[in-house]
Amino acid sequence: MPADTYFPLREASYAVMIVIASSLVNRWRWASARSRLRTIAVCSEKFAMRRLLGLLCDAVVDLDTELQIAAESKGFAAMTQFDCSRKIKGRSFVDFFIQEDSEHIQSQLQ
């Protein structure tokens, strides 16, 4: 191949690679933005749901998959007369109920 046609061919291939790389970066940015918006929407929905439950209920308790209390709940601590100087987070939710009820609650929630 003559030297004068090789140089423009190399420049064209660089241009194609730049366009492809730019396209990939642009797709990644859009995917990242969509992911952030979904996260914001979920957080907003969770916040709104907690506010609504807080208005309707005496206490709101967040549980993890092990039925452990995932966040402090002053309302629940007050309802159960739990010592406010101790942390309620991390305690088993079903431990706050009598044995017969705790077995039923645990079977229903899992």
Side-chain angles (χ1 to χ4, degrees), residues 20-93:
I20 290 171
S22 175
S23 174
L24 291 174
V25 167
N26 198 24
R27 282 186 178 195
W28 174 79
R29 288 176 55 200
W30 277 107
S32 178
R34 277 194 298 271
S35 175
R36 272 187 265 141
L37 287 174
R38 275 191 224 111
T39 301
I40 290 169
V42 167
C43 290
S44 296
E45 288 174 9
K46 184 178 178 181
F47 177 75
M49 182 177 58
R50 284 189 61 78
R51 292 282 309 258
L52 183 60
L53 285 172
L55 292 171
L56 298 173
C57 304
D58 293 329
V60 178
V61 181
D62 287 327
L63 302 177
D64 63 14
T65 57
E66 303 288 320
L67 299 180
Q68 304 290 318
I69 298 174
E72 292 297 324
S73 174
K74 292 179 182 177
F76 184 69
M79 285 177 60
T80 58
Q81 297 178 349
F82 187 76
D83 183 7
C84 293
S85 65
R86 296 173 45 207
K87 298 283 186 193
I88 199 168
K89 180 181 177 182
R91 302 262 324 220
S92 174
F93 179 67

